Each structure stands twice: as structure tokens, then as C-alpha cells.
Amino acid sequence: MNESVAVALIAGPASAILTLLLTKALGSQRDKAEVDALLSERWEAWSDEQGRRIERLEDRVKDLERDLTQAQEKNKAQASLMSSLIGWALQLRDEVIRLGGHPPAAPLEVQAALTSLDAT
């Protein structure tokens, strides 16, 4: 066999194997890059969605805090009114007793309020 045939027999399969290995290696890196890009894209989409959800929740928290403040102010005003009404009722009771009358007993809710409402 002459030398050029031997070189051809060795170089042909060797170049095919080398081409296959290079294609596989470069393809693997391309696949990894595609997977990385896909994961990055999905992560960014998920992150954006979480950011939008957080913004909506923050808006809801602000609304709830505003509503709570308004409710607390309303309750404080009602408690003050109730305290004043109870104080006034007590004064009327005391005056009725002073004048010799017999006022009815205070309702249970009023008696409970006498011990639970802050007079300030």
C-alpha cells in the first residue's frame, strides 16, 4: 500500500471523528447557552411578576392602613360620645335621687360601659 493511501485511510476517519467531536462540543456549549438564556428569560419574567404583585400588595396595605386610621378615629369619637352620654345619664340619676325619686337601674350594657370606657 502506498503512503498516500495509508494517509487517506487514517485521515478520513480521523477527520470525521474530529468533526463529530467538535460539533458535539460546540453544540453542547450552544445548548448550554440556549438553556441559560431561557432560564434567564423565565427568571426575569417571574421576577417582574413578583415585582408587580408586591406593588399591588403595597397599594392594598396603604389602603388598609388608611381605612384602619379612619375607623380608629371614628371609634374614638364614638367612645367619647358614649362616655359623655353615660356621664350625663349618671348626673340625671343623681339628680332624680336627690329630688327623692327612684330611677330604674342602668341597663347591663351601660353598667359594663361604666367600667370599660376611658373617660378621657
Side-chain angles (χ1 to χ4, degrees), residues 32-94:
K32 286 180 185 176
E34 288 175 358
V35 167
D36 287 347
L38 180 62
L39 288 175
S40 177
E41 182 181 308
R42 287 186 180 174
W43 177 257
E44 187 174 338
W46 180 83
S47 177
D48 290 343
E49 174 61 24
Q50 297 308 309
R52 286 189 296 275
R53 290 182 71 198
I54 289 170
E55 288 174 5
R56 287 192 306 265
L57 289 172
E58 287 174 340
D59 290 342
R60 287 179 61 193
V61 167
K62 286 177 188 173
D63 292 345
L64 290 170
E65 287 174 337
R66 183 194 64 239
D67 293 347
L68 175 62
T69 299
Q70 290 172 350
Q72 287 172 330
E73 290 170 359
K74 183 178 178 181
N75 286 343
K76 186 184 286 186
Q78 289 176 345
S80 175
L81 174 63
M82 290 302 297
S83 293
S84 295
L85 283 171
I86 291 170
W88 180 68
L90 290 173
Q91 288 176 349
L92 288 176
R93 181 201 64 190
D94 292 346

Side-chain angles (χ1 to χ4, degrees), residues 6-17:
V7 169
L9 287 174
I10 293 172
S15 67
I17 290 172

Side-chain angles (χ1 to χ4, degrees), residues 106-118:
L108 293 177
E109 296 87 358
V110 174
Q111 290 178 11
L114 289 172
T115 59
S116 65
L117 286 179
D118 185 9

